[in-house]
Amino acid sequence: MINRRVNQINLSRKLKSFLFTSICFLCFSCENKAIYDQYQAIEDRRWEKDKEYYFTFHIDDITVPYNLTLDIRNNNLYPFQNLWIFYTIEQPIGSLQRDTIECVLADDFGKWYGKGISLFHSSFLLRSDYLFPHEGQYTYSFRQGMRTDVLKGIQEIGFRVEKAR
């Protein structure tokens, strides 16, 4: 009976030690390459036509390529298959740049592409292996480009800048 109890205690210690080591390994082995990763909530889940969302970050190393990603979180109330977004890039030196992206959020049958159950997360690559031309502060601003004045069902918009692999 005593040997059985001692064996259980030893097994418990070994299990705790293994779990602690595994958790430490996972925490320290996962390197987040993102130098910027921010989300902004869409007020009342209603994105008005003239409302812009700004993301400002600083680039120190222009010799490294970066990936720039737009993240959209929508719910089941979003009435469309896609989302058109106009975005503006303000660089430390130079003029403003403007571009447009179509974010396809659902298939032809209305099934959401994003990950989730009632809140769907979709990521869209804006630029891949991009070399920033100048060191300094950059600002990306996003505004919805749909044909409705108030767009329902978009809950959050996010922007991520990470070092390319």
Side-chain angles (χ1 to χ4, degrees):
M1 183 82 158
I2 294 175
N3 283 340
R4 188 175 181 194
R5 180 78 176 142
V6 169
N7 287 340
Q8 287 178 342
I9 291 172
N10 286 339
L11 182 62
S12 177
R13 286 181 184 158
K14 287 179 183 178
L15 183 60
K16 287 179 184 177
S17 175
F18 174 75
L19 286 175
F20 177 76
T21 304
S22 298
I23 291 171
C24 287
F25 177 75
L26 287 174
C27 289
F28 294 114
S29 67
C30 298
E31 180 184 338
N32 185 0
K33 296 182 189 175
I35 64 160
Y36 182 83
D37 192 3
Q38 284 294 119
Y39 283 87
Q40 294 186 33
I42 305 295
E43 191 174 328
D44 295 327
R45 298 179 190 109
R46 299 168 45 93
W47 195 351
E48 296 182 15
K49 189 96 171 156
D50 58 349
K51 176 67 177 169
E52 285 189 70
Y53 292 91
Y54 296 89
F55 298 90
T56 301
F57 57 95
H58 197 272
I59 294 295
D60 293 322
D61 188 356
I62 61 172
T63 64
V64 175
Y66 296 91
N67 293 332
L68 287 74
T69 306
L70 173 68
D71 293 317
I72 302 293
R73 290 181 178 156
N74 67 286
N75 60 34
N76 283 321
L77 298 177
Y78 186 70
F80 304 108
Q81 176 184 3
N82 64 349
L83 170 64
W84 286 95
I85 294 183
F86 303 128
Y87 66 98
T88 304
I89 306 160
E90 183 180 342
Q91 303 180 72
I93 300 171
S95 59
L96 291 177
Q97 297 176 359
R98 289 187 167 82
D99 207 343
T100 305
I101 184 173
E102 178 186 18
C103 304
V104 179
L105 300 173
D107 65 16
D108 292 336
F109 302 102
K111 183 178 182 297
W112 300 111
Y113 286 131
K115 296 176 185 174
I117 296 173
S118 61
L119 180 64
F120 302 94
H121 179 127
S122 302
S123 296
F124 302 94
L125 192 61
L126 294 178
R127 295 191 179 193
S128 175
D129 294 321
Y130 178 69
L131 288 170
F132 285 97
H134 309 284
E135 291 180 4
Q137 181 175 296
Y138 286 80
T139 300
Y140 276 65
S141 62
F142 299 91
R143 131 180 109 78
Q144 62 105 338
M146 301 298 281
R147 292 183 179 148
T148 180
D149 289 340
V150 177
L151 191 58
K152 296 178 184 177
I154 302 294
Q155 288 191 214
E156 290 182 317
I157 181 172
F159 185 69
R160 184 173 58 253
V161 179
E162 60 188 354
K163 292 181 180 179
R165 293 184 182 176

